[in-house]
Amino acid sequence: MAALKTVPSADVRLGMFIHGFEGSWWEHPFWRTRFLLTDLQDLQKLRAFRGGVIIDVARSQAAPAASVDAPMENDEAKPVPAASSMTLGETDAAAARAKASFSLEQARAAALVAGAFETVRGTFDDVRLGRAIAREKVAALVDDIAGQLDRNASALFRVLQLKSKHQYTYLHSVAVCTLMVNLARHLGMDEEDVRALGLAGLLHDVGKVAIPDSVLDKPGRLSAEEFALVREHPERGMSLLQEDPTMPALAMEVCLHHHERWDGTGYPHGLKEENISLPARMGAICDVYDALTSHRSYKRAWLPARALDAMWGWEGHFDRELLFQFMRSINLYPPGLLVRLASDRLALVLHNGERATRTRLLVFYSFADAAPTEPKTLIFTGEGKEDAVIGFLDPADAPMAIPDLDLYPPHPVTN
């Protein structure tokens, strides 16, 4: 049972468990509202916060005796021994910990996505019934998403990529939130803006509550009248968000303009190039990428490489420089990742330099033959009838030694 008390920020000490903050969610200096305070820099940020801090006394720990402001020791901060200095038993234990960590992060991401689905569905239902948006609930969800990105971004991206067509309406908002937070961090934006952009991702399609599901989920081509109705959702969403006087301006901007295009052919206002705000340009990229890589009632999901390749080829649709930064930010298949292919082979993701629209793989094992194969590199694009990634493998479960990644440096980019 939580034992809560509120103290001035100047009285906060290392070892206290922070349960929350008084005042508006996006004014406090942290992503997570609940965490154990163990870092001096975090302590300094918190003391600069002008407001009350809610402490969970039961979960707090004693500060080190030497100094109440000294960093506290925790298991995650302890150095990991180098592999060359570890005994066989220590190596096995490290592999077991790696496997447990991999499974834990996948489970955490799956649980987060399941809860997020219910939160967004409830939020949209509230709006549909004329109720106010539960800001603290959606704000806490952005907190949780940011926390999972801190721990393991790839795990969250993978889980979101597996959403079904029946989950699309709500998990699309969760995915766009995740992509917006990730891109904003990649661009080095300050935390207040990153937080607001995460909220913008969650609420960018809130105007669709005014559109019948029969139109949104229609398996065939929309009629001119239906398409005109769909095009109203940015302005309808803006009207809904404006009802909340504390809603961040960035969230409303993304909601209204995430369908504008770089060449001026978008809607609702036909804005062009730099007249489209940076947050709206970010929203456009994140929105389309997730739509392309999701199962819909009228199409199957595209694989990430195919989606990125197509987006890059749409002249005039996006800010190309920003799109390139987005490609770099998602790193869905990071070097060193083990992937299982549709051909029942095992491959290692290799370094690929700046070629963000391609994934370079080293195929080295056949599950069908239960034997290694002659190592072969291939460029994975997700197009046509070529091989496809169908799963991910924990390194601890690899059936043989994994090839040395450093032996396969990226080729120079020539085009």
Side-chain angles (χ1 to χ4, degrees):
M1 189 75 177
L4 307 181
K5 72 173 183 178
T6 302
V7 301
S9 60
D11 293 345
V12 173
R13 297 289 186 271
L14 290 175
M16 288 182 171
F17 190 93
I18 310 302
H19 181 82
F21 300 86
E22 290 186 332
S24 175
W25 171 78
W26 41 77
E27 292 177 356
H28 74 71
F30 294 99
W31 275 111
R32 292 168 293 283
T33 53
R34 294 178 176 81
F35 60 96
L36 182 66
L37 184 61
T38 62
D39 185 84
L40 272 177
Q41 291 184 339
D42 287 346
L43 176 63
Q44 293 168 354
K45 285 184 182 179
L46 211 156
R47 287 183 174 173
F49 171 62
R50 296 182 179 181
V53 182
I54 304 169
I55 306 299
D56 187 336
V57 178
R59 300 177 68 181
S60 296
Q61 300 177 3
S67 169
V68 294
D69 287 341
M72 295 187 67
E73 184 177 1
N74 61 74
D75 291 339
E76 293 181 356
K78 292 179 181 178
V80 178
S84 59
S85 66
M86 298 172 69
T87 66
L88 181 60
E90 289 173 333
T91 302
D92 291 342
R97 285 195 300 271
K99 181 176 181 178
S101 177
F102 180 90
S103 301
L104 177 61
E105 291 307 329
Q106 289 289 105
R108 279 176 171 169
L112 169 60
V113 170
F117 176 84
E118 297 300 331
T119 297
V120 175
R121 181 167 65 177
T123 299
F124 278 40
D125 286 346
D126 285 345
V127 172
R128 191 177 287 111
L129 295 172
R131 301 171 186 153
I133 293 173
R135 289 185 295 106
E136 292 304 318
K137 184 179 290 187
V138 294
L141 176 55
V142 178
D143 254 351
D144 292 341
I145 289 171
Q148 181 61 46
L149 283 171
D150 283 339
R151 287 190 300 271
N152 192 314
S154 294
L156 182 53
F157 285 140
R158 291 172 205 163
V159 171
L160 284 169
Q161 190 185 353
L162 299 176
K163 60 182 174 293
S164 72
K165 62 184 180 182
H166 304 295
Q167 299 171 314
Y168 177 78
T169 298
Y170 304 113
L171 287 190
H172 173 63
S173 295
V174 178
V176 173
C177 168
T178 304
L179 293 167
M180 290 284 277
V181 168
N182 190 66
L183 178 56
R185 284 177 166 178
H186 177 78
L187 296 175
M189 293 183 168
D190 63 57
E191 290 192 1
E192 181 179 356
D193 285 347
V194 176
R195 184 180 290 119
L197 287 167
L199 191 65
L202 276 181
L203 300 176
H204 78 287
D205 268 348
V206 70
K208 287 185 176 179
V209 300
I211 301 172
D213 289 342
S214 59
V215 175
L216 294 177
D217 297 331
K218 184 176 179 179
R221 183 182 295 275
L222 296 179
S223 68
E225 294 77 13
E226 290 168 335
F227 186 59
L229 184 62
V230 170
R231 285 169 61 105
E232 294 177 3
H233 80 270
E235 291 173 300
R236 287 176 179 260
M238 176 70 168
S239 296
L240 291 168
L241 296 185
Q242 283 179 320
E243 295 176 5
D244 184 346
T246 65
M247 186 63 60
L250 287 184
M252 293 187 284
E253 171 63 21
V254 172
C255 179
L256 182 61
H257 289 138
H258 66 278
H259 282 291
E260 302 288 357
R261 293 184 179 180
W262 189 247
D263 62 4
T265 61
Y267 63 90
H269 298 141
L271 301 181
K272 188 174 182 180
E273 298 181 358
E274 283 82 5
N275 289 324
I276 308 170
S277 69
L278 177 59
R281 282 179 261 160
M282 294 168 64
I285 291 170
C286 295
D287 176 58
V288 171
Y289 173 79
D290 184 67
L292 292 176
T293 55
S294 300
H295 290 300
R296 306 289 297 276
S297 57
Y298 52 86
K299 77 167 190 69
R300 291 190 58 79
W302 286 6
L303 293 166
R306 181 184 178 190
L308 292 175
D309 194 49
M311 291 171 69
W312 188 259
W314 293 342
E315 192 69 33
H317 202 126
F318 305 106
D319 175 347
R320 293 286 288 268
E321 183 176 343
L322 184 62
L323 177 58
F324 183 70
Q325 292 304 321
F326 173 79
M327 291 174 175
R328 297 184 66 186
S329 75
I330 58 171
N331 200 22
L332 189 65
Y333 300 132
L337 183 71
L338 289 178
V339 295
R340 188 163 188 156
L341 303 178
S343 59
D344 212 18
R345 297 181 296 172
L346 182 63
L348 176 72
V349 179
L350 301 176
H351 293 290
N352 203 29
E354 298 296 306
R355 294 299 300 273
T357 62
R358 296 289 187 271
T359 300
R360 185 166 164 252
L361 305 175
L362 179 73
V363 180
F364 66 94
Y365 185 85
S366 168
F367 287 104
D369 298 329
T373 62
E374 184 70 25
K376 175 184 177 183
T377 59
L378 63 88
I379 302 298
F380 172 62
T381 67
E383 295 181 346
K385 296 181 179 180
E386 71 176 9
D387 223 337
V389 172
I390 61 170
F392 307 92
L393 197 71
D394 187 328
D397 292 332
M400 61 172 289
I402 301 170
D404 186 350
L405 188 65
D406 292 336
L407 296 178
Y408 301 89
H411 297 302
V413 177
T414 58
N415 54 23

